[in-house]
Amino acid sequence: MKPRIPNLLTPAEQRVVILLLEGLNNRAIAQRLVISHRTVECHISRALRKSGCRNRLELVL
């Protein structure tokens, strides 16, 4: 079952957050999605800002 993620995140940000939920680090997410490590960092940063979370742990919880 797909976790509920706020609609304010883009589909790309949602994919990254879902992989964070699996416990993957940024490099593993980048490899899985075939994107750069820096792109993963940007998606996480935007998701944190949009959600009001302060860190990755809050984001996945």
Side-chain angles (χ1 to χ4, degrees):
M1 186 166 148
K2 187 175 178 179
R4 291 186 55 113
I5 297 175
N7 291 332
L8 50 107
L9 300 181
T10 66
E13 292 163 351
Q14 289 178 16
R15 285 189 294 273
V16 169
V17 171
I18 288 169
L19 293 175
L20 281 174
L21 284 168
E22 292 182 18
L24 298 178
N25 63 28
N26 290 3
R27 292 208 185 275
I29 292 170
Q31 289 176 342
R32 177 89 59 95
L33 296 177
V34 191
I35 58 177
S36 75
H37 176 260
R38 180 70 181 125
T39 300
V40 172
E41 290 175 352
C42 288
H43 288 320
I44 292 171
S45 177
R46 287 188 199 113
L48 287 168
R49 186 174 55 248
K50 289 178 180 180
S51 67
C53 295
R54 293 176 293 187
N55 57 52
R56 296 163 62 110
L57 180 59
E58 281 186 14
L59 187 61
V60 298
L61 294 176

